Amino acid sequence: MKKIKTLLIIILTIGFASHVNANDAPNSFADLAEELMPSVVFISTTTTKVVNQVDPSFPFKFPPGSPFEDMFKDFGTPKERKGGALGSGFIIDENGTVITNNHVIDGADKISIRVNGDKEYEAKLIGKDPLMDIAVLKIISKDKFKPVNFGDSNKARVGDWVIAIGNPFGLGGTVTSGIISARNRNIGLSRYEDFIQTDASINVGNSGGPLFNMGGEVIGINSAILGQSGSIGIGFSIPSNSAKKVVEQLIKFGETKRGWLGVRIQIVTKEIADIEKLDEPRGALVASVSENSPSAKGGIKSGDIILEFNGVKIKEMNELPKIVAQTEVGKTVNVKVWRNKKVIIKKIKLGRLETSEDFKVKKIPEDKEAPEISESKSLKIKTRVLTKKDIDDRKLPNQTTGLVITDIKTDSPINYLQINDIIIEAQKKKIKSSQDLESIVEIALKSSEKTILVVIYNNQNQRRYIGVKLD
């Protein structure tokens, strides 16, 4: 029996040691770095835009022709210089196609690329995508280059070892290492975010450079850091699986062609899920449907909750735009929605985002003050009735009715709304007067749930659903 126990301990010890060794740090990154370095490029740009360069210790600028210009030219007189930027990139084919961030080359008149730390080339822009911050360049040369391959970023796990190679602060050929710290990060920099977070040191100048796995595959494009003064161990990379689709389109078309559903969406809160009798907060709530959009033609309505798109379950609201954008333009998909406490399926033929009205930025005129202010003591807000002039100025649907918020107290249950937001519905009933709203609130206060569903137009004229918990 004693021998059996001893044997068991030895087996467990060997198994534990094997597990530790399998996940231990590499002895060295030298071989991998040496292999990958020729594929990483260092990018510098110049622009004809004139930038004032002022010495803070000498904050005066003399008018042209002033005699003081010559007198103070050696004492910090403000000078003018051309703008420019530094960044990184990587080669994906032997003909010199380079991937980088859009913000590295945005507005550049001239793009220079240094390969393997010694030879410099000019490059031209093939295509760019500001929404995902990706650009594709082509080195102007008949030379052959050493490319790297994209890996499968979906296989990257938190805790995996990675290395970054780039051009931080203009110091080309810099290699840093670390692990994947987190996945699926959204930090509010662009429309389609799904960042890989890493603690590998990333600084200014690393933008556009590759994040490699231990197989030498690119699993991310380094794009952002947290902190103004430099790396604090929190860097963000665009996942390769998202980047690949954009890169392919930029190479093929010189532009992106994203799927378009034509809805404005918002988070399904616990209050909204409870009101709609949905089992849990999930999916994406349709706040409004664009006129003549694929969703309008396919029968999607405001108030629907999209639970599934093209066979993919939507757990959180921000997942839907990414999935739609990556779906082929013109494809017909099944969209599963929650409506009136049951699931229905709609078939939608996707349009193209870049040619849609949703893609165009519209300026909304400010709403004008109007008389006849009413006060809701329960909601602790002041409102006025929506006028025909409001509808015309803000280009709202002609039959819109509602109340324009003119004041909100800090202890209001809807203090997160803003002045000039318009309350148009409550508990799925149209609001035409302050009495309509007060009656609905009073009924809700007498109920056990004390929750109402409110529909508004916000200051950007976006239709939103709000679950309000009353005191």
Side-chain angles (χ1 to χ4, degrees):
M1 184 70 181
K2 187 176 181 181
K3 288 183 179 180
I4 293 174
K5 286 183 178 180
T6 303
L7 181 62
L8 182 61
I9 291 170
I10 291 171
I11 291 171
L12 289 173
T13 304
I14 292 171
F16 177 75
S18 299
H19 175 75
V20 171
N21 290 335
N23 295 278
D24 206 359
N27 292 328
S28 173
F29 297 102
D31 290 341
L32 186 58
E34 185 177 351
E35 178 187 349
L36 298 173
M37 197 75 75
S39 304
V40 181
V41 303
F42 315 117
I43 301 171
S44 61
T45 68
T46 56
T47 175
T48 55
K49 180 182 178 182
V50 176
V51 180
N52 290 329
Q53 188 178 26
V54 180
D55 184 342
S57 65
F58 196 90
F60 305 107
K61 184 173 181 179
F62 302 112
S66 169
F68 293 105
E69 280 188 312
D70 289 335
M71 185 181 299
F72 289 97
K73 66 181 180 182
D74 296 324
F75 296 93
T77 305
K79 300 176 182 179
E80 294 183 336
R81 61 178 176 83
K82 289 185 177 182
L86 294 174
S88 307
F90 55 96
I91 300 169
I92 61 167
D93 64 32
E94 63 177 11
N95 294 321
T97 301
V98 172
I99 310 303
T100 187
N101 284 143
N102 175 65
H103 75 259
V104 171
I105 55 84
D106 191 34
D109 296 303
K110 181 181 178 182
I111 303 171
S112 298
I113 290 181
R114 185 174 292 275
V115 180
N116 206 19
D118 52 11
K119 197 166 183 179
E120 191 164 306
Y121 303 86
E122 284 193 28
K124 63 180 180 179
L125 178 65
I126 299 299
K128 62 180 181 178
D129 176 29
L131 295 184
M132 197 175 278
D133 195 18
I134 292 174
V136 178
L137 312 176
K138 173 69 172 64
I139 297 174
I140 303 173
S141 173
K142 293 182 179 179
D143 292 351
K144 296 299 181 183
F145 301 91
K146 184 178 179 181
V148 287
N149 297 317
F150 281 114
D152 186 350
S153 57
N154 288 340
K155 292 181 179 179
R157 302 169 60 203
V158 173
D160 280 351
W161 282 96
V162 289
I163 66 170
I165 304 178
N167 185 29
F169 303 109
L171 301 171
T174 299
V175 180
T176 57
S177 67
I179 62 168
I180 293 175
S181 305
R183 295 288 313 274
N184 310 116
R185 289 295 198 208
N186 189 318
I187 58 176
L189 286 182
S190 62
R191 184 181 296 193
Y192 303 108
E193 292 187 0
D194 188 25
F195 286 123
I196 295 172
Q197 181 183 325
T198 178
D199 67 351
S201 292
I202 296 174
N203 288 283
V204 176
N206 275 111
S207 291
L211 187 71
F212 291 106
N213 62 19
M214 291 297 96
E217 298 172 317
V218 178
I219 58 166
I221 303 173
N222 300 322
S223 297
I225 58 173
L226 196 63
Q228 296 293 323
S229 58
S231 176
I232 58 172
I234 303 178
F236 301 96
S237 301
I238 302 168
S240 58
N241 286 16
S242 299
K244 274 190 291 188
K245 294 182 179 181
V246 171
V247 168
E248 288 169 0
Q249 289 187 347
L250 292 178
I251 291 173
K252 187 174 181 180
F253 307 114
E255 59 184 356
T256 54
K257 294 185 178 182
R258 289 187 167 94
W260 175 54
L261 197 55
V263 293
R264 291 191 180 277
I265 56 174
Q266 64 181 84
I267 295 171
V268 178
T269 63
K270 184 180 184 306
E271 291 80 9
I272 291 173
D274 290 344
I275 292 168
E276 296 295 336
K277 305 302 180 186
L278 189 62
D279 55 353
E280 60 178 342
R282 59 190 174 100
L285 175 64
V286 177
S288 62
V289 180
S290 299
E291 189 176 354
N292 296 321
S293 68
S295 288
K297 295 173 182 177
I300 299 292
K301 296 181 178 180
S302 299
D304 287 347
I305 298 175
I306 297 176
L307 302 177
E308 191 174 298
F309 176 87
N310 198 27
V312 180
K313 291 183 178 179
I314 307 300
K315 296 179 182 178
E316 297 181 1
M317 179 268 291
N318 59 10
E319 296 173 349
L320 182 62
K322 301 168 192 172
I323 296 170
V324 173
Q326 293 176 3
T327 306
E328 182 183 352
V329 174
K331 182 175 181 179
T332 299
V333 299
N334 286 334
V335 178
K336 187 180 291 186
V337 303
W338 182 260
R339 182 191 294 174
N340 296 330
K341 303 178 182 61
K342 64 181 180 180
V343 173
I344 62 174
I345 296 175
K346 296 292 184 180
K347 288 189 177 294
I348 311 292
K349 184 178 180 180
L350 294 186
R352 184 186 172 196
L353 175 66
E354 291 83 355
T355 58
S356 70
E357 288 297 315
D358 286 357
F359 196 66
K360 301 173 183 176
V361 179
K362 298 178 180 178
K363 291 185 178 180
I364 305 299
E366 292 184 5
D367 201 10
K368 305 296 181 182
E369 188 76 17
E372 299 181 14
I373 304 298
S374 300
E375 183 175 2
S376 169
K377 293 183 179 179
S378 301
L379 293 178
K380 298 178 182 179
I381 61 172
K382 292 181 180 180
T383 61
R384 63 176 177 80
V385 174
L386 185 74
T387 66
K388 181 67 168 63
K389 188 175 188 315
D390 294 323
I391 293 172
D392 292 341
D393 286 347
R394 295 177 63 156
K395 296 181 172 57
L396 298 172
N398 287 332
Q399 304 305 314
T400 303
T401 61
L403 300 173
V404 180
I405 298 175
T406 61
D407 186 58
I408 307 175
K409 292 186 178 180
T410 54
D411 58 347
S412 166
I414 52 173
N415 59 12
Y416 43 84
L417 296 184
Q418 297 180 4
I419 291 173
N420 285 335
D421 285 349
I422 305 169
I423 299 173
I424 58 173
E425 289 183 19
Q427 298 297 70
K428 299 189 176 181
K429 296 179 181 178
K430 288 188 176 183
I431 300 298
K432 297 181 179 179
S433 67
S434 58
Q435 290 77 16
D436 290 344
L437 181 61
E438 277 297 287
S439 297
I440 292 170
V441 171
E442 287 176 9
I443 293 171
L445 284 170
K446 294 176 183 178
S447 69
S448 58
E449 293 180 347
K450 292 183 171 55
T451 303
I452 61 172
L453 183 66
V454 175
V455 184
I456 69 163
Y457 278 115
N458 65 15
N459 278 247
Q460 287 74 46
N461 286 3
Q462 297 168 338
R463 184 183 170 105
R464 310 301 263 176
Y465 285 72
I466 309 293
V468 180
K469 191 72 176 176
L470 302 170
D471 295 331

